[in-house]
Amino acid sequence: MASRLNRLWLLAGAAGAVALAPALAQEVILPPGFGNEPTPAPQTNSQSPSSNGQQSSISRPSAGDSEDTGEGGDLVESSDLTNEELPAPPPPVEMPDASRRDPRLVGAIDPQRWGYGTNPWGGADGKFLSGLMRRQSTPLPSRWLQITLRNALLARAEAPANVNGADWAAERAWLLLRMGEADAARMIVSGVDVGDYSPKLTQVAVQSALASADPSGLCPLKNKLGGADARIAPLVQAMCASLEGEGATAASQIEQARRRGRIGGIDLTLADKVVGAGENTGRAATVEWEPVDGLTSWRFGLAAATGMLPPPRLFNATSPQVRAWAARAPMLGAEARLPAARTAAGLGVFSSAALVDLYSQIYDATDPSDLPGTDAFRLRTAFVGNTVDDRLDAMRALWRVGEGELEKSASHALLALAATRINPNAKLQKEAPDLIASMLAGGYDRQAAHWAGVLGDMDEGPGDRAWAMLAVGTDARGLDLSVSRVEGFIDRDNSRDRQRSKLLVAGLAGTGKINGDTVSRLNDKYELGLGATSVWTRLADGAGQRRQAGTAAVLAAIGLQSPSFTRVPSWQFFHALTALRMAGLDYNARMIAAEALART
């Protein structure tokens, strides 16, 4: 059996690896395993920000489901955090000065290295930014917008003014969780010493441990749970005792919790199953999902931690962000994690390389006689097939996997590197749009730009789609960006309400590819709606002009909060891209613009 697929596929030569490295680095997700004055948040023509709790939280049990939840009702539900003033955090435990960490300086990536500058938040007000982040609806319409916002929230930078450091970490981690970024949220939470936790951060830390399917993450919090959810404290004590090897104590605590009856049904059973996984407990719990009508983060986290997923009727009813939590659950096998990983890749939680690696694990674990006809085998063929036709046949099959925008986006990301191995050829015009979309999904803009040389020999249909993505997403030399070329695209556009044309012109303008006079001319002639302004546009433009990259990323996400680019207003798209570009995130703006054309 060959070693892992990704190792085989990267044997194309050192020169090719060096050429691809910059683009690959731009899409890195995470290491594997884990002064504006306060202003009311702007209202846009897209979905209301106030709906984020319903969109991204785990569905809750029905009110009368006492069999599931016991007398206390919903257990560790993923509801939104309040805006109320919270008491100051308790004093930290005494420790050597060299070991203390500043709760106002928390993050996992160097903002300068990732294009966010030395001060991503600038002089923006912390309370204002916290309010925006809390009202951000998810999922985002773009995996590249997700990557841009995620990296801003992960930046190791001083917290903005007028916000408690621990609460600022909590707001960032809470938004990351609602985006499906369990690993990233855990990194933010773990960057604050437990002694510095505020009540808000304690709540988010509980959610983070459960989203990561890691009950051990609750153990440092067991003395703080009275302010988060006192009902789970006895169960946490029991699970942590079991994980620490104190089996008899853990078993006794579980039985005491059962007798007290504050928590029962599936919630107690799952905690008992975690306890039974420890040493010398002598316990074995059988989980019965049949009477359960809803899924909470407690149920997801403890189930995944013991190597199982809730039944499809519950798991598939949750938001895609919650399903993405399961993509890296350590106790689940590769096959079990694959559907969640594809969702994660479509959202932007998983990189193309991470998804390829998961398929390679499945390939290695499959008997050779069973490999033909599997997606893992097709993916290997897409990379190392004997002929171009063999590779393209495999790609066509993989592009057709699943239904909906997220699945299509995941397939494009999966084949990003494989697409770079297909030489530009006008005879491949039918596949060209998908090949270019795949390369740009993985950040390979330089490789995609090579297709500009064959556009002139393509028919109008595939040629238009390929040209539009290259026009906004690359710096291809010799690419026709004239007014007549843009007008030809618009005249042939058959999308509803010419949405594709609106996004194209907004993308060209926002990424600086056409000047203001050209934008005005096209906007007036075709009524593209690019001239609208609002409080939000002034804030976004200001953040860009002041090169506050983190603030610009948050405001861009606020302006584009819609589940699909088909519902994003052109003027908001224009100002969001402009803000990112002016703040120093030109590459990110181009990738978002190209993705919009690929997904409409």
Side-chain angles (χ1 to χ4, degrees):
M1 174 70 68
S3 61
R4 296 185 112 187
L5 281 175
N6 59 311
R7 295 172 185 166
L8 290 176
W9 298 335
L10 292 177
L11 293 178
V18 171
L20 299 180
L24 181 61
Q26 293 287 350
E27 203 221 0
V28 169
I29 303 299
L30 287 172
F34 69 89
N36 293 325
E37 292 300 318
T39 306
Q43 295 298 314
T44 68
N45 291 345
S46 56
Q47 201 161 351
S48 169
S50 63
S51 64
N52 68 72
Q54 286 71 30
Q55 286 195 348
S56 61
S57 62
I58 298 181
S59 57
R60 304 174 186 174
S62 59
D65 191 5
S66 58
E67 173 66 20
D68 291 352
T69 61
E71 298 176 352
D74 294 346
L75 185 65
V76 197
E77 63 189 32
S78 292
S79 57
D80 206 348
L81 301 180
T82 66
N83 229 344
E84 300 173 356
E85 290 295 325
L86 294 171
V93 176
E94 287 297 325
M95 62 179 65
D97 290 342
S99 300
R100 292 179 177 175
R101 295 179 294 178
D102 184 354
R104 291 187 57 81
L105 188 63
V106 176
I109 65 174
D110 178 358
Q112 281 190 280
R113 180 183 175 189
W114 291 82
Y116 292 83
T118 58
N119 189 4
W121 312 110
D125 184 86
K127 288 184 179 179
F128 171 67
L129 287 174
S130 296
L132 288 181
M133 290 159 57
R134 200 173 307 121
R135 297 164 71 177
Q136 173 70 52
S137 65
T138 55
L140 301 174
S142 159
R143 70 187 304 272
W144 274 103
L145 178 60
Q146 168 113 355
I147 291 169
T148 301
L149 179 58
R150 191 253 344 281
N151 287 348
L153 298 175
L154 276 175
R156 181 175 176 81
E158 183 77 18
N162 299 324
V163 64
N164 174 275
D167 285 348
W168 176 243
E171 295 291 0
R172 293 153 65 194
W174 181 236
L175 177 52
L176 286 165
L177 284 174
R178 301 195 329 265
M179 292 164 59
E181 301 275 1
D183 288 349
R186 188 70 177 274
M187 294 173 79
I188 293 297
V189 168
S190 64
V192 181
D193 294 331
V194 175
D196 291 332
Y197 276 25
S198 64
K200 183 179 292 187
L201 183 55
T202 300
Q203 295 178 57
V204 176
V206 170
Q207 297 288 342
S208 174
L210 295 172
S212 302
D214 182 15
S216 68
L218 298 171
C219 298
L221 310 174
K222 57 187 178 183
N223 295 326
K224 289 178 168 285
L225 292 177
D229 192 333
R231 294 170 300 160
I232 71 171
L235 299 184
V236 171
Q237 294 280 356
M239 290 188 293
C240 293
S242 174
L243 294 171
E244 294 165 1
E246 300 176 4
T249 300
S252 174
Q253 289 172 332
I254 277 288
E255 289 306 320
Q256 289 179 18
R258 191 186 307 277
R259 288 194 298 272
R260 290 169 182 163
R262 296 186 67 187
I263 298 175
I266 190 76
D267 300 310
L268 178 63
T269 301
L270 287 169
D272 198 358
K273 190 170 182 65
V274 173
V275 168
E279 295 182 2
N280 302 319
T281 60
R283 307 185 68 80
T286 301
V287 180
E288 297 288 346
W289 290 101
E290 188 58 34
V292 180
D293 292 333
L295 198 60
T296 64
S297 53
W298 178 268
R299 295 169 184 176
F300 165 82
L302 299 192
T306 55
M308 63 178 172
L309 281 175
R313 66 179 177 84
L314 297 176
F315 189 64
N316 294 340
T318 63
S319 70
Q321 307 93 283
V322 171
R323 296 198 298 275
W325 290 353
R328 280 202 180 98
M331 296 301 293
L332 299 177
E335 286 276 9
R337 288 188 287 121
L338 181 60
R342 288 187 59 87
T343 297
L347 290 171
V349 177
F350 252 38
S351 68
S352 57
L355 187 58
V356 167
D357 187 67
L358 185 63
Y359 273 96
S360 75
Q361 294 176 40
I362 295 171
Y363 182 95
D364 284 347
T366 303
D367 188 277
S369 62
D370 296 330
L371 279 171
T374 65
D375 286 344
F377 186 82
R378 292 188 182 99
L379 182 58
R380 184 180 187 278
T381 304
F383 277 88
V384 298
N386 291 329
T387 67
V388 172
D389 287 341
D390 289 341
R391 284 181 272 155
L392 285 173
D393 284 344
M395 290 184 187
R396 293 185 193 103
L398 290 171
W399 281 323
R400 292 193 297 267
V401 171
E403 298 180 356
E405 282 192 32
L406 281 181
E407 284 290 331
K408 184 176 182 180
S409 180
S411 293
H412 280 151
L414 175 66
L415 293 169
L417 184 57
T420 67
R421 298 167 61 85
I422 303 295
N423 292 326
N425 189 333
K427 294 181 180 179
L428 302 178
Q429 62 177 356
K430 184 177 179 181
E431 293 79 20
D434 280 320
L435 288 168
I436 292 170
S438 287
M439 285 183 273
L440 294 176
Y444 298 109
D445 59 324
R446 294 180 183 178
Q447 289 73 21
H450 295 159
W451 283 81
V454 301
L455 290 178
D457 297 324
M458 293 185 185
D459 295 338
E460 289 178 346
D464 275 350
R465 293 190 68 87
W467 169 81
M469 288 183 283
L470 295 177
V472 298
T474 74
D475 292 323
R477 294 181 179 180
L479 194 64
D480 185 2
L481 297 178
S482 65
V483 172
S484 60
R485 181 65 181 92
V486 178
E487 289 181 335
F489 180 94
I490 297 174
D491 291 338
R492 292 186 290 271
D493 181 15
N494 60 2
S495 63
R496 184 176 181 179
D497 197 28
R498 282 184 169 164
Q499 177 70 356
R500 193 175 298 127
S501 294
K502 292 178 179 179
L503 295 177
L504 170 68
V505 177
L508 291 170
T511 56
K513 300 297 183 67
I514 55 177
N515 59 37
D517 291 339
T518 301
V519 175
S520 297
R521 175 178 170 182
L522 293 168
N523 185 54
D524 292 342
K525 181 176 180 179
Y526 293 100
E527 298 181 348
L528 301 176
L530 294 173
T533 60
S534 68
V535 172
W536 170 80
T537 63
R538 293 192 290 274
L539 292 170
D541 292 348
Q545 291 165 2
R546 290 186 289 273
R547 296 185 68 84
Q548 299 172 348
T551 303
V554 170
L555 286 164
I558 284 287
L560 302 183
Q561 52 183 336
S562 170
S564 170
F565 275 114
T566 60
R567 298 170 59 183
V568 171
S570 59
W571 59 277
Q572 293 175 207
F573 192 52
F574 163 58
H575 284 278
L577 296 179
T578 300
L580 293 174
R581 175 175 59 85
M582 295 182 68
L585 298 172
D586 170 76
Y587 179 90
N588 303 66
R590 288 192 286 112
M591 294 303 101
I592 293 168
E595 187 180 358
L597 271 298
R599 295 177 72 160
T600 54

